[in-house]
Amino acid sequence: MKSTAMSVLAITFAAWTASSAMAADTQAPLTRAQVNAELAQAQRNGELLANQESGLKARDVAPGNYPAQAVAGKTRAQVIAELAEAQRLGEIPVDGVSGLKANQLAPGNYPAQPAAAGLSRDQVQAELAAAMRSGVVPVHERI
């Protein structure tokens, strides 16, 4: 059992390092210490296959056993800038019951919101005719 698990581990790691090597073709060959360090890191992160048949990684089988993966997001400065802009425009909800925003409760205190561009009468009639032809809108006969 141990030899099978070690074989699977070795094959998985070899495939993982081979795909990494193909992606970074210009790198120098790794030393034994580097390979061992990468293997240890892959084991810690649950990146090795847990089951050959399903193809699931150890992280997928038991996510609670491994650290959460970092998610690329916004920087602190970007979030602070977005918050300041939302406060300036009154986009922050202030009424917990109705969910109204500050610019809805006191529109005179904030810059005017740009009006959404609407469709022309001809465009609306063309959309209605297309919807009637496709059967989305039922057509009623006039009496």
Side-chain angles (χ1 to χ4, degrees):
M1 178 68 177
K2 270 191 169 181
S3 64
T4 304
M6 290 304 287
S7 299
V8 169
L9 183 65
I11 292 170
T12 304
F13 183 70
W16 180 66
T17 55
S19 64
S20 297
M22 286 182 189
D25 197 303
T26 59
Q27 292 181 348
L30 298 176
T31 65
R32 182 180 182 93
Q34 289 171 324
V35 170
N36 286 334
E38 285 184 6
L39 175 60
Q41 181 66 33
Q43 288 172 329
R44 278 192 302 274
N45 292 337
E47 296 170 0
L48 300 177
L49 288 179
N51 185 342
Q52 284 286 16
E53 292 176 13
S54 68
L56 293 175
K57 294 181 179 181
R59 171 185 297 285
D60 299 331
V61 174
N65 295 343
Y66 301 97
Q69 290 179 324
V71 177
K74 298 177 182 178
T75 66
R76 183 177 177 88
Q78 289 171 323
V79 171
I80 290 171
E82 285 181 7
L83 174 62
E85 181 68 9
Q87 287 172 333
R88 185 185 72 77
L89 296 175
E91 291 292 322
I92 306 295
V94 292
D95 185 5
V97 177
S98 68
L100 291 175
K101 298 176 184 175
N103 61 9
Q104 293 170 321
L105 290 174
N109 295 343
Y110 301 97
Q113 298 294 321
L119 299 176
S120 70
R121 180 177 175 85
D122 292 336
Q123 290 171 323
V124 171
Q125 287 179 339
E127 284 184 6
L128 175 61
M132 291 169 78
R133 280 192 303 274
S134 66
V136 173
V137 175
V139 180
H140 298 286
E141 293 183 24
R142 293 187 182 178
I143 300 178

